Amino acid sequence: QVQLVESGGGLVQPGGSLRLSCAASGFTFSSYAMNWHRQAPGKGREWVASITSSRGTTTYADSVKGRFTISRDNVKDTVYLQMNSLKPEDTAVYYCNVWVRNVHYWGQGTRVTVSS
């Protein structure tokens, strides 16, 4: 079955960096676009970034453009989110997501807290 396992979250000071990872299994990873979303305390889930399957074309929410970078390793079946210049408003639980055969799959999330 499809499984997504995020890691790499934690507490970081404003201006700092973190790299999140999402290890995927149960599907042909290289054939599917991958996404990161986040959910801040008391708010709905919002899309953060996506990367296509073949060319690795990336797209970003305006709120993270220029600071976050999504990438993928089709050998390790892992998608990454490099987060730089973090702000307190980036505090959220971050989820990776994939749509396989008309079903959305989500990981359990990894918490990122940006605070001094």
Side-chain angles (χ1 to χ4, degrees):
Q1 70 277 23
V2 174
Q3 286 194 319
L4 302 170
V5 180
E6 300 96 335
S7 60
L11 174 64
V12 62
Q13 291 187 341
S17 298
L18 280 176
R19 188 176 83 151
L20 307 184
S21 300
C22 172
S25 61
F27 63 103
T28 306
F29 179 80
S30 59
S31 297
Y32 291 89
M34 297 296 297
N35 314 291
W36 283 98
H37 291 72
R38 66 185 181 186
Q39 186 164 15
K43 296 189 177 181
R45 194 168 296 189
E46 68 167 338
W47 168 74
V48 174
S50 295
I51 185 166
T52 61
S53 57
S54 52
R55 289 191 170 190
T57 302
T58 58
T59 52
Y60 299 93
D62 287 343
S63 57
V64 307
K65 200 172 293 183
R67 300 187 298 122
F68 289 12
T69 303
I70 187 172
S71 62
R72 66 189 297 155
D73 185 331
N74 287 341
V75 174
K76 295 182 177 179
D77 290 359
T78 300
V79 60
Y80 304 97
L81 186 68
Q82 177 67 45
M83 307 187 295
N84 299 328
S85 303
L86 283 161
K87 305 175 181 179
E89 51 263 45
D90 294 318
T91 295
V93 178
Y94 284 72
Y95 301 89
C96 67
N97 154 261
V98 65
W99 190 25
V100 177
R101 293 185 289 274
N102 295 324
V103 177
H104 277 281
Y105 293 91
W106 300 87
Q108 83 290 348
T110 186
R111 185 175 301 276
V112 172
T113 302
V114 184
S115 175
S116 55

